[in-house]
């Protein structure tokens, strides 16, 4: 069986976890234990500016702005734009959305 494991650390440093594949996935019935280790490091990647201001936009009008991402490392970086700046705030926003949706369902 082939297994793919992703590594998406929230902080720099060394990270370790155990991976247990339960035996009922194998013909042998034996559980398999594997140690996983990864290291997250800062690399020289930056934006060309800290803020982008959106001009007033109306129904029939649009505006655009460009932000350059400078990756001065040899590592491929994947980016995602989020409405908040920390994982904690993102978790709070998700929880608030779930609670608001549950209120609408009642």
């Amino acid at each position: 069986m082939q297994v793919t494991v992703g590594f998406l650390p929230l902080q720099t440093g060394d990270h370790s976890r155990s991976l247990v594949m339960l035996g009922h996935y194998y013909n042998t019935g034996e559980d398999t234990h594997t140690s996983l280790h990864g290291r997250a490091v800062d690399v020289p990647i930056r934006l060309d500016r800290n803020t982008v201001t959106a001009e007033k936009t109306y129904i029939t009008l649009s505006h655009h702005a460009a932000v350059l991402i400078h990756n001065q490392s040899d590592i491929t970086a994947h980016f995602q734009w989020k409405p908040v700046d920390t994982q904690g705030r993102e978790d709070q926003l998700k929880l608030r959305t779930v609670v608001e949706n549950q209120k609408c369902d009642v």
Side-chain angles (χ1 to χ4, degrees):
M1 170 187 294
Q2 180 176 336
V3 176
T4 301
V5 177
F7 179 60
L8 301 170
L10 299 177
Q11 297 177 346
T12 58
D14 293 325
H15 301 269
S16 297
R17 291 289 184 271
S18 295
L19 173 67
V20 178
M21 292 296 295
L22 301 178
H24 64 268
Y25 290 107
Y26 296 104
N27 293 335
T28 64
E30 297 178 38
D31 292 352
T32 302
H33 299 264
T34 304
S35 296
L36 303 174
H37 303 278
R39 176 176 289 159
V41 297
D42 282 326
V43 293
I45 299 174
R46 64 178 180 79
L47 299 176
D48 68 334
R49 55 181 140 165
N50 291 330
T51 61
V52 176
T53 302
E55 302 294 330
K56 289 184 180 180
T57 305
Y58 305 98
I59 292 174
T60 60
L61 181 67
S62 66
H63 288 276
H64 71 274
V67 177
L68 297 177
I69 300 171
H70 300 277
N71 183 353
Q72 298 169 335
S73 72
D74 58 353
I75 296 171
T76 300
H78 302 277
F79 291 89
Q80 184 178 35
W81 301 109
K82 296 186 176 189
V84 293
D85 60 348
T86 65
Q87 184 66 42
R89 287 187 182 174
E90 183 176 349
D91 293 343
Q92 288 176 346
L93 182 62
K94 286 179 183 177
L95 179 60
R96 187 173 68 200
T97 302
V98 168
V99 170
E100 288 172 359
N101 288 340
Q102 287 176 345
K103 288 179 183 177
C104 292
D105 292 340
V106 174

